[in-house]
Amino acid sequence: MKIDFQALQDAVGGTAAAFRCVTDYQPAGGPGDKVFPPTYEGGRYATEERIDPDTGEKRQCVLLDSVQSQANRMELALLEAHRANRVQLPLLVTRFDQDTLLKRFAVTSLEAPHRVADALFRDSLIDGMIFRRSAKGAVLDTADIRNAAGLFGLCPTALLFGLWDSTGPRGGMGAKFQRAIVSEIIGYDAVEGARTSSRVDPAQIRLGAGPLYENGSESDDAPHWTLRQNHGSKKLGRDGKPSEANHGNVTPGIESGGFTISKATQTTVLSLSTLRRLRFPLDGAVDSGPDIDVAARTTLAALGLAAGALARNDGDLRSRCQLFALQAPVWELLDRPGESPKQFECDSETALAILGEAITEARGKGLPWEGEIALTPSPELVELVRRSQELATASTEEEA
């Protein structure tokens, strides 16, 4: 059956441990098509053996999308829904749109690595004051699991995806909130394959046509290299080959890369037990009211269901790693041990509708729910970004 607001509120207010959604996928190219997992330090893939719960046998697996990456995808899915006016979320936004910058951009609390506690917000201004010294920013100084109302209104996704305020005034003693939702995608029966590379130059530039030399001129009508060897000029790159300027053919090569798998499985768990540890006292009170706690926790649970449903609409993980679901996602409610879990359908439209109801209920109980909060990066932060952009441009030119 389809989940609704009342069913979600009953689950949160009851004793259920978690919602779980397990979905199987195949590559978009079909069974046997190769997929490319993420690579880590040293170009390695995250492979490991796991126990098959049905057979008890070991199966070789490869990580296709990590918990951290899945969290980022869910946050970006929520951001897109916010921008499309499908839901209105509290959101910090600091805009780097100053004239001195080579590249202009904005960062939101749904994109920053440390969410609301990120250094980009810490070093930005609100109404001319450093954010962390303002009334809104000071919420982070006193936030903990027994006092989460302020953070709920400022950045509820921090309570859902986790937060460690390690860059704030208390350093490593800053506020910590564990993840309430975790998700990952694993490929089973993973067999590593080979990856080839080559390039054919349509201009058929040959090795002997060089060497190329660095062009010290800044003329707008000349490339960064020249065929003329002036006094003191150096060969381009290591040896002046045309390939140093990305001209010429690339010799076909082969190396390890990509995997074939029997299937991919995405497992998402939304922990109601974690949410029940959070308390939401209002107006400086020491204790919180049970109805207020349930309203806030239900909103966070609805936010998690919406994030999971929205992110499942996009199986394109990276280049050559697009997955397609083999079945519609079903959420199971893990409630009474020994009993079969209740099963719920929850597409993105249903999840967003429930989230809207939950937000209305929470605000009606007096819980804070901010809109977009505009910040301005401090002059020092703008200058730091400007210098970094100039260094990046110079480094690109040198590498070219």
Side-chain angles (χ1 to χ4, degrees):
M1 59 182 177
K2 276 198 172 184
I3 194 169
D4 58 21
F5 172 75
Q6 190 59 56
L8 179 62
Q9 190 176 62
D10 290 344
V12 172
T15 60
F19 280 99
R20 175 180 65 199
C21 186
V22 181
T23 309
D24 290 336
Y25 296 80
Q26 281 289 349
D33 189 25
K34 189 184 295 184
V35 294
F36 281 75
T39 55
Y40 296 91
E41 185 178 4
R44 295 181 299 169
Y45 297 108
T47 57
E48 62 180 357
E49 288 185 332
R50 294 198 177 194
I51 301 297
D52 188 318
D54 296 324
T55 66
E57 297 177 351
K58 291 182 180 178
R59 298 174 67 178
Q60 186 68 22
C61 298
V62 62
L63 181 65
L64 296 180
D65 216 38
S66 67
V67 170
Q68 297 85 353
S69 177
Q70 282 280 287
N72 292 340
R73 293 182 196 280
M74 286 190 277
E75 288 175 287
L76 291 178
L78 288 172
L79 180 60
E80 287 303 309
H82 173 85
R83 287 173 171 167
N85 293 318
R86 300 173 71 189
V87 64
Q88 292 303 306
L89 301 174
L91 201 67
L92 294 185
V93 185
T94 186
R95 300 185 183 280
F96 292 84
D97 55 3
Q98 292 72 25
D99 292 338
T100 57
L101 296 178
L102 301 178
K103 177 183 177 182
R104 302 182 186 186
F105 60 97
V107 179
T108 73
S109 47
L110 283 168
E111 298 166 294
H114 294 92
R115 302 182 176 96
V116 67
D118 200 85
L120 292 176
F121 304 126
R122 181 200 64 196
D123 297 336
S124 291
L125 307 173
I126 181 170
D127 297 328
M129 179 182 295
I130 284 291
F131 173 66
R132 289 302 296 265
R133 297 173 191 162
S134 70
K136 293 186 186 301
V139 163
L140 280 165
D141 297 338
T142 56
D144 59 32
I145 62 173
R146 295 162 297 181
N147 184 29
L151 191 53
F152 176 87
L154 188 67
C155 184
T157 47
L159 299 174
L160 183 65
F161 295 106
L163 176 77
W164 182 19
D165 182 25
S166 61
T167 67
R170 292 190 289 168
M173 298 297 291
K176 284 186 180 180
F177 294 88
Q178 74 180 73
R179 296 178 188 271
I181 187 169
V182 293
S183 183
E184 69 173 0
I185 303 178
I186 296 293
Y188 282 88
D189 303 316
V191 178
E192 188 169 6
R195 175 174 57 189
T196 59
S197 61
S198 65
R199 186 185 70 199
V200 176
D201 184 359
Q204 292 296 300
I205 294 175
R206 307 297 294 271
L207 175 64
L212 310 184
Y213 298 91
E214 293 182 358
N215 184 4
S217 170
E218 296 184 0
S219 172
D220 291 337
D221 60 357
H224 67 286
W225 56 268
T226 179
L227 290 167
R228 294 184 294 274
Q229 183 179 16
N230 300 319
H231 178 70
S233 61
K234 297 190 302 181
K235 287 183 178 179
L236 186 69
R238 290 181 299 178
D239 48 21
K241 293 180 181 178
S243 60
E244 297 288 352
N246 295 328
H247 289 296
N249 298 328
V250 173
T251 303
I254 185 170
E255 58 184 1
S256 297
F259 285 78
T260 53
I261 56 175
S262 62
K263 68 172 182 177
T265 299
Q266 179 181 22
T267 303
T268 305
V269 176
L270 173 61
S271 173
L272 303 183
S273 300
T274 299
L275 295 181
R276 286 195 197 98
R277 297 190 186 104
L278 302 176
R279 303 183 69 178
F280 303 87
L282 299 178
D283 303 322
V286 175
D287 296 320
S288 57
D291 57 334
I292 294 173
D293 285 343
V294 170
R297 295 164 185 166
T298 301
T299 304
L300 294 174
L303 191 60
L305 291 179
L310 288 165
R312 267 178 164 76
N313 291 340
D314 183 9
D316 190 5
L317 302 182
R318 65 191 63 83
S319 177
R320 296 194 67 182
C321 194
Q322 183 172 2
L323 305 176
F324 188 76
L326 297 179
Q327 66 273 146
V330 174
W331 291 86
E332 297 179 308
L333 180 61
L334 308 181
D335 193 352
R336 299 179 185 277
E339 293 185 4
S340 297
K342 293 180 180 178
Q343 296 185 334
F344 298 95
E345 294 180 359
C346 186
D347 58 25
S348 57
E349 292 299 327
T350 299
L352 289 173
I354 293 172
L355 177 56
E357 289 185 68
I359 293 170
T360 300
E361 174 89 0
R363 297 183 70 177
K365 297 288 185 182
L367 282 156
W369 192 261
E370 302 275 358
E372 288 197 12
I373 300 172
L375 306 181
T376 303
S378 64
E380 292 83 358
L381 181 56
V382 172
E383 178 62 14
L384 182 64
V385 171
R386 185 194 67 79
R387 293 185 184 186
S388 298
Q389 290 181 347
E390 289 186 348
L391 287 172
T393 300
S395 175
T396 301
E397 291 174 352
E398 290 174 3
E399 292 173 358

